[in-house]
Amino acid sequence: MAESTNSVDALARLAAVIESRLPARGGDPEKSYVARLLHKGPDAFLKKVGEEATEVVMAAKDADHGGERSKIVGEVADLWFHTMIALAHYGLKPADVVAELERREGTSGIEEKALRKALARESGAQ
């Protein structure tokens, strides 16, 4: 459990740095990559999330064909980083994602997906 706690702490520290770059907190787009992305708005950082997700897929496919598996780690780190910028923009934290994962713990993915579909049908019917 100590490793998990340290991982969550590392994400919380990174989130704090990202939050400090928010325009509302005086993040300077001339001095910070994060502030620059945030200053450009959602289209800029969401585009980066999409690009990084694609790069994760490409690294994984390369690994299936003899490529370096370590590239997957680097690309996932980039994806997480840019996703954390999106979370900060929307006032969310990594702890919110961890809480959702904990809520889902012990639930079959098939059951969870079926529940989401049922809830969507129910809310659409009203």
Side-chain angles (χ1 to χ4, degrees), residues 12 35 38 53 98 102 114:
L38 288 164
V98 170
E102 288 173 340

Side-chain angles (χ1 to χ4, degrees), residues 58-77:
M58 291 169 31
K61 292 195 79 56
D62 287 347
D64 282 342
H65 296 95
E68 294 179 41
R69 293 183 343 172
S70 63
K71 288 185 178 183
I72 299 170
V73 173
E75 296 301 345
V76 170

Side-chain angles (χ1 to χ4, degrees), residues 48-69:
K48 286 300 296 180
V49 170
E51 289 172 4
E52 298 303 342
T54 299
E55 290 175 12
V56 169
V57 171
M58 291 169 31
K61 292 195 79 56
D62 287 347
D64 282 342
H65 296 95
E68 294 179 41
R69 293 183 343 172

Side-chain angles (χ1 to χ4, degrees), residues 1-18:
M1 187 66 176
E3 181 180 332
S4 173
T5 300
N6 291 337
S7 299
V8 172
D9 291 346
L11 290 174
R13 287 191 304 273
L14 178 56
V17 170
I18 291 169

